[in-house]
Structure formats: C-alpha cells, structure tokens
Amino acid sequence: MRNKYLLLFFLSILSFKGFSQAPGCPDVGTYAPAPLCNPGDCTDLIAEYFETGETTSYEVSSVDYAPPYPFIGGTQVSVNTDDVWSPLVTLPFSFCFYGQNYDNVLIGSNGVITFDTNTFTPGAYCQYAFSGDIPNTSFPIRNAIYGVYQDIDPGVNNTFADPNINYAILGSAPCRTLVVNFSQVAQFYSACEGDPNIGAQTSQIVLYETTNVVEVYVQRRVPCTSWQEGVGVIGIQNAGGTQAAVPPGRNTGSWTATNEAWRFTPNGDSNVEFSWLLGTTEIGTDTTITVCPEETTTYTAQAIYTACDGTEVVKTQNVTVEVNEPLELGTPNNFYVCSSNPPPYTFDLTENTPIIRNGYNQFQYPITYHPSLADAEAPFNQIIPDTAYSTDASQTIFARIENVLTGCYQVVSFDIIITEAPVAGEVDDINVCDLDGSGNEIVDLTVQYNDVMAGLNPNVFEVFYYDSLIDADSNTNAITTPDAYDAADGQTIFIRVAVIGDEGCYDITNFNVNLTEFPNDVVSPASMETCDDASNDGLAEFDLTDAIDGIMANEPGMTLDVSVHLSQADADANINPQAQPLFTTTVPNAQTIYFRVQEQGAVVASCYSVVTMDLIVNEKPVILTPITNYIQCDQTDPDANDGIEEFDLTTKDTEITGGNVD
C-alpha cells in the first residue's frame, strides 16, 4: 500500500493560509498538505512567516505594486503650501529606526518624513535642494524616509494636479501603521508644473508597528530636468548620514517610475522566534518539518515577534493534516494453469475486480492491472485488455485501486502460476483396529497427506478424498470430514491432487482401509495349582492347553494367535514368547503369566488383548523321621494287661510336621 502526494507547487497555489493583513505586518502562514492515505504516512508541514530583525541594518526589495491604503482620506498637511514641515505627528506605537525608538515624526511637503524633530520643527522650512547619493553626511535631511524626495509644489492645482498630502494611523495593534500620502502633486518650477507629460506625482509611505518595516509605493514619478536636473531619491538614511538603503537605480538622479513598490526590512539579528507546536509541545523550529500522524491531527505554526518596547507579539496559524482510513479490500485469487496444455495461456484478470473492490463504488474506485509494483504506483503500463491477458510464464500481477476524489490508492497483488501436472505420491494402506467388532471404524484419512503430496507446493496444489474413482475423476462428492471418516473393512479411498483453481490439472491415487478385529471378549483363565515334586524347589510344569482353549472359546468368530509371556511389558511388546502348552514356571511357588491374544495374521500391532493367569506350585510335605514309638502302659481297667489300650494319635502331629501348621 502506497501514498500519492499532490505536488507542493499545486499546494502552494491552492492551499496557502495566512498573510491576510497589510503586507508589512507580523504574520505566519501555512500550506495545507494533501490528505494522507494511510495512518502513519508522512508529509511535510511548510510554513512562512514575515522575517524581520533588529533595525541596525536594512534589506531593500522590490514588492508587488499594491498600495495597502488609499492615497487620499487622511489628515491633510502642507495644504497649498510649498517647502514646509507638517505639524508634529505623534505615533500611538514605538517605531524603531536605525537602532533608535521614536514616537513622533514630521512630514515634509517634498516627499519626505523625518524622525529628527530637534533640527526640524513644525511649520519650518523643508529643504528641497540636494545633490549627491546617500548615504551622505552632508545630506540636507537625514534620519529620514524618502518616498519620493523631490521638489514638488502642493500649491499648484491645475488640470492634472489636485494636491493632497495627508497622513493617517490605520490598522490595529500589534500592526498599526503610519500612512503618508503625496497625492497628485505637481513638480516645482513653471516649466514643470504645467507640463502634462510630466504630470502630477503620487506616492505613499507606510511605517509598520512591531516589524518596523518601511514601504514606499510609487504610482507615478516623472522628473522635470528643467529644475535641479530632475533629481529624486527613494530610500532611507540614518541620522549621521553613514548608513542608507536605496533601491537600484533610485538613488539621487533623474529617473522615471510608474506603479512600483519597495520594501525596507530590518535585517539585523532576528527579532522573531518560529516554532511548530502540537498542542502546547514544541516539535520543531524549522519552517519545514516532516510529520507522520496516525490520525487526523492539527498542528500550529507560531511566530513570536519582539517589538521595540520589548513586548512580544504572538502570531499563529493552524494546519490540519487529514488522515484517511485505508480501504478494506478483498484478497484476490491466484490464477493457475496446468502446463500439460501448450502456451500461451490467457486469463481474464477482471475476475478479481469485484473481489478486490469489496463493494466500493466502481466509479469512485476504478481498478487497473499492471505487470510490476513500480508500474502500479506510477501508474504506467496498464494491462490492456485486462479481460484477455496472455503469458507464457508464471508472474505476479499488481492491481491498483484509486479513489478518484482524493488521489489515494492501494496496490494488491496476485499470482499467475503455471505448473506441471502433479504426480501423486505412493501411499500405503491404512490398517486400524476394529475396537467394537462392528466392521467399521472412524479413520483419519489425512495422515496420507504428506505421502501423497510428495514434496509438492501446498500453496499450488490441494488434496481431496473420495470413496469412488468416478467422484475423484469428476471432482464431485468429496469426503467432507476426511479427518474423521467412517470406513469399512477393505474399503478403497481415492485421493485427488490438483492445481488450486485449475480442476483440469490433477492426478489420482488410492489406498485401502484394512480393519483388524480386536479380541475384546477374552477373559483371564482360572488359576492352576499343582504339587511340587520330590525336589520341593517351588517350580513345576503346567499344561496350558485347557487355559488356551478357554481363551479362544470366548471369541468363537475369530481365529486367534495366543502367546505366553513372563511380563506385561513383554506381552505388550510381543517379545520373549514362552514354550506352550507345556510351561515350566520360572518363579518359585507362585507366578503370574501373560497371554497376548490377537487375530491370526493381524497387521495392526496394537490390536491385541492381554489376560493373565496365576500358576501355584504347592510345597510337597515332608515327614520327619524317625518317628518315635508311641508306648503306653496296659493298665486300663477292667481288662488290665489285656494288650489293648487307647492311643491319641494327634499327639504325634507336631512331631511329624515339625510344627508346620500348613
């Protein structure tokens, strides 16, 4: 996604704000940048302010002839009186001139004003005769503004002269102005005052509060060379006559001017501090800075002027940077083609147009297609026609959608992918245990995915599963839950590997689902006991035939394999089978053996049951010998000495068993 910025030149023509006051006033203006297309995009803030400095020196420049005030209407002075100074004019503000502060001036009837109110006094003689360029220490009137200083006569009133020398205090603080006009005044001397080719002279002097700028506007000045060689001067000069500022070609001499204007700007050390503000926080002091707002944000350009009396004048101008929200575009589809067909390949790119536009108005948001990102951003090299674009190779297409009202645009891309026909990898059968003996089992067919893809790009190819070859070939009735498919024993599953978006570019393979029945009805046989032999070592041989037959009898529908193991671990791992059906115990007296039971020929190693049986070897009893004779006296009456007597044989039990109660 990229931004489109309007040209700065265009902005400077249409979007500049500020400088709405008189031209010499303190002011700051800004250029409103074009709206940003996305949050975080960057743009330049550009400001201009009226740059002034201390009055230790001046810069003179030509400005447009556009007098800010009328030439008549103020307070008239020197009415019909030649070569005279006006009454004292008191300024309501302090004006700095060549490093000094003044609040009074005198207006001379010969196109001059002076701050020297000691040498020159109201109503006194205003010199007209001068020669030599300025600066000039012997110049007759110094500490003065000349605009135009020449010998004119306000006492002449004829067909072209209607003299009006006037002044006015105009504007409002902090930019009040003293405006002095010399309107329609004839040149002095009889040969001059009546000559219509020379005509009347009109000019205006403007002094600005705070900036201390001086402007001279000359509507008409034509010299009369018959008098004083037609000398005249435009400029300013300090009190000592050591410093002056004069426009080129306008120093003392005979010259003609019509509709021209000059500005005398103090250019000593700056008396203006400029800054950009965000709220009350300063973010820069250059007139041009770069900002990257995340949302629509207002910035402030601020210029602080320090006036002659030390007061500060603050001028500000706000500029708002609009931030547009990015479009919520759809994701275009890639185009795929199987290279089994010969090139070139033709595509209708506009199939993606409604997807990308995502419901936005088609007239406000047109879409064009381009072969590169640079072309889309420019924009250049639009693909025409976009409904039948031909190519021999895979490539990326860039779609540009632009808001024709704002110029903002976004670029999205999609691929044309030309691929070889896929070859499905070999897959093995899936063998699973039929836990409930139903003949069906839930199977995860997707375990075959990696084998069938066999290294194919998953972004290019897709896999589907079917329960018939016809469905796989026609790409219909795909199994919807291949990760939990209810499969029957021996069922064949067909896998289709195809290019995404190109149904005609595919390969098919298959595999079987084989079920092994789980012997879940077998139970543990009853324990067996036997008597130890004469060795009495606790070991004995058992015939397990009946026990094995009993295990098999519980699964009459299955043909089972039964193996005998000495431990559960051996039975689970199907290792170390023991001899059977005749089995000799390995643990004295009592031993548990483990029968592993599974369907004969089973290929699912986990499809088995384990049942146990206890084998008990009873100790063979040993009679302690010799047993002592049991002797009694033949004394029982009435038959004493008859050879017959009663014996309690149990009295010999302990002697016979050695006290073993078992």
Side-chain angles (χ1 to χ4, degrees):
M1 182 185 302
R2 303 296 175 103
N3 293 336
K4 176 181 179 183
Y5 296 99
L6 298 180
L7 293 176
L8 179 60
F9 175 72
F10 179 75
L11 287 175
S12 68
I13 294 174
L14 297 183
S15 304
F16 184 75
K17 297 188 295 183
F19 299 131
S20 58
Q21 307 177 78
C25 290
D27 207 353
V28 62
T30 59
Y31 295 88
L36 299 181
C37 295
N38 307 290
D41 284 347
C42 298
T43 188
D44 284 343
L45 298 181
I46 302 174
E48 289 184 3
Y49 64 95
F50 192 63
E51 177 67 64
T52 59
E54 300 295 334
T55 60
T56 53
S57 60
Y58 289 82
E59 174 187 40
V60 60
S61 59
S62 174
V63 295
D64 292 340
Y65 177 78
Y69 301 106
F71 284 101
I72 58 175
T75 301
Q76 284 190 261
V77 295
S78 305
V79 179
N80 300 323
T81 304
D82 190 22
D83 300 334
V84 67
W85 288 105
S86 71
L88 191 68
V89 177
T90 300
L91 302 177
F93 54 87
S94 181
F95 187 81
C96 300
F97 188 71
Y98 278 110
Q100 299 296 320
N101 294 352
Y102 299 98
D103 53 16
N104 294 292
V105 299
L106 289 172
I107 302 170
S109 61
N110 288 316
V112 62
I113 66 175
T114 184
F115 299 99
D116 185 356
T117 58
N118 293 321
T119 304
F120 308 106
T121 58
Y125 172 64
C126 175
Q127 293 92 327
Y128 67 85
F130 61 92
S131 62
D133 293 344
I134 59 172
N136 188 336
T137 58
S138 61
F139 207 70
I141 303 175
R142 299 185 299 276
N143 203 11
I145 298 169
Y146 314 110
V148 179
Y149 182 26
Q150 59 187 338
D151 191 6
I152 54 177
D153 186 356
V156 176
N157 192 331
N158 56 27
T159 57
F160 55 80
D162 186 12
N164 190 326
I165 300 176
N166 64 82
Y167 75 92
I169 305 295
L170 301 175
S172 58
C175 192
R176 290 165 288 188
T177 58
L178 170 64
V179 181
V180 179
N181 291 302
F182 303 91
S183 176
Q184 300 292 312
V185 184
Q187 291 278 16
F188 179 80
Y189 191 56
S190 58
C192 306
E193 64 187 26
D195 188 345
N197 293 319
I198 297 174
Q201 316 295 299
T202 299
S203 63
Q204 181 179 92
I205 299 173
V206 184
L207 277 60
Y208 289 91
E209 181 184 12
T210 303
T211 64
N212 304 301
V213 166
V214 175
E215 289 176 340
V216 174
Y217 294 88
V218 181
Q219 184 184 84
R220 175 183 173 85
R221 191 271 170 173
V222 178
C224 179
T225 57
S226 300
W227 177 254
Q228 275 195 290
E229 299 181 350
V231 295
V233 62
I234 297 175
I236 61 175
Q237 184 172 210
N238 70 350
T242 57
Q243 288 181 270
V246 183
R250 298 295 179 261
N251 216 323
T252 302
S254 177
W255 44 265
T256 299
T258 303
N259 293 344
E260 71 176 32
W262 303 97
R263 176 176 294 154
F264 302 85
T265 305
N267 67 346
D269 292 340
S270 177
N271 68 337
V272 189
E273 289 187 9
F274 175 82
S275 60
W276 281 104
L277 305 177
L278 178 57
T280 58
T281 302
E282 181 181 293
I283 59 173
T285 57
D286 294 332
T287 54
T288 298
I289 64 171
T290 300
V291 293
C292 308
E294 294 291 333
E295 59 185 358
T296 297
T297 304
T298 297
Y299 302 89
T300 301
Q302 175 180 271
I304 302 177
Y305 292 78
T306 301
C308 289
D309 58 4
T311 59
E312 290 186 343
V313 175
V314 180
K315 305 299 291 186
T316 60
Q317 180 68 57
N318 290 337
V319 58
T320 298
V321 179
E322 298 284 345
V323 179
N324 293 317
E325 292 296 325
L327 300 177
E328 295 181 2
L329 303 180
T331 302
N333 295 323
N334 293 329
F335 289 89
Y336 301 91
V337 66
C338 192
S339 62
S340 58
N341 301 317
Y345 308 103
T346 302
F347 304 91
D348 181 359
L349 305 181
T350 63
E351 291 178 7
N352 272 327
T353 296
I355 298 173
I356 296 170
R357 187 174 285 127
N358 197 26
Y360 289 103
N361 183 281
Q362 61 177 324
F363 300 106
Q364 185 177 348
Y365 296 94
I367 294 178
T368 56
Y369 295 92
H370 305 264
S372 72
L373 177 60
D375 286 343
E377 291 177 337
F380 293 130
N381 298 325
Q382 179 181 345
I383 294 174
I384 298 174
D386 51 12
T387 56
Y389 177 65
S390 293
T391 182
D392 293 346
S394 298
Q395 70 176 110
T396 300
I397 301 296
F398 297 87
R400 173 193 176 102
I401 179 170
E402 179 175 342
N403 185 337
V404 297
L405 300 181
T406 65
C408 293
Y409 68 90
Q410 292 174 222
V411 175
V412 296
S413 65
F414 57 90
D415 293 323
I416 291 176
I417 302 173
I418 300 173
T419 60
E420 295 183 2
V423 176
E426 295 292 333
V427 293
D428 296 327
D429 290 346
I430 291 180
N431 300 298
V432 295
C433 189
D434 185 5
L435 296 174
D436 59 4
S438 65
N440 285 73
E441 196 65 37
I442 301 299
V443 179
D444 183 2
L445 306 179
T446 64
V447 297
Q448 306 285 46
Y449 179 82
N450 288 336
D451 289 339
V452 75
M453 286 291 284
L456 295 174
N457 188 343
N459 295 319
V460 178
F461 300 96
E462 56 188 349
V463 173
F464 294 100
Y465 304 83
Y466 306 84
D467 54 19
S468 77
L469 178 59
I470 294 176
D471 286 345
D473 212 26
S474 62
N475 193 24
T476 57
N477 302 317
I479 295 172
T480 56
T481 55
D483 57 342
Y485 179 67
D486 189 4
D489 183 26
Q491 183 175 358
T492 300
I493 301 297
F494 298 87
I495 305 179
R496 175 190 174 103
V497 183
V499 175
I500 298 173
D502 184 6
E503 294 187 359
C505 196
Y506 66 94
D507 190 25
I508 294 175
T509 189
N510 65 78
F511 64 93
N512 292 328
V513 177
N514 302 311
L515 302 185
T516 297
E517 188 173 351
F518 179 69
N520 55 355
D521 289 334
V522 298
V523 296
S524 296
S527 61
M528 295 179 64
E529 297 187 32
T530 189
C531 188
D532 202 351
D533 57 18
S535 66
N536 243 357
D537 59 2
L539 304 177
E541 182 181 74
F542 289 85
D543 186 350
L544 303 178
T545 300
D546 290 343
I548 292 173
D549 289 345
I551 290 172
M552 292 183 174
N554 286 321
E555 290 284 4
M558 299 178 64
T559 302
L560 300 175
D561 282 333
V562 180
S563 57
V564 178
H565 302 268
L566 299 181
S567 68
Q568 179 73 46
D570 284 356
D572 288 335
N574 197 19
I575 59 175
N576 302 322
Q578 303 298 304
Q580 56 159 307
L582 298 179
F583 171 77
T584 299
T585 59
T586 59
V587 177
N589 303 322
Q591 182 175 6
T592 299
I593 60 174
Y594 300 83
F595 296 95
R596 178 187 173 101
V597 185
Q598 65 186 59
E599 187 176 23
Q600 195 173 84
V603 294
V604 182
S606 62
C607 197
Y608 67 91
S609 291
V610 175
V611 294
T612 62
M613 181 180 184
D614 293 329
L615 301 178
I616 302 170
V617 179
N618 294 317
E619 183 182 356
K620 186 177 182 68
V622 177
I623 299 176
L624 298 179
T625 57
I627 302 173
T628 60
N629 292 331
Y630 191 174
I631 301 173
Q632 284 204 108
C633 184
D634 185 4
Q635 60 182 4
T636 305
D637 290 332
D639 298 318
N641 294 318
D642 58 2
I644 298 172
E645 195 63 42
E646 181 179 277
F647 290 81
D648 182 0
L649 301 183
T650 63
T651 62
K652 301 298 280 183
D653 287 354
T654 300
E655 183 181 355
I656 293 171
T657 65
N660 188 339
V661 297
D662 292 331

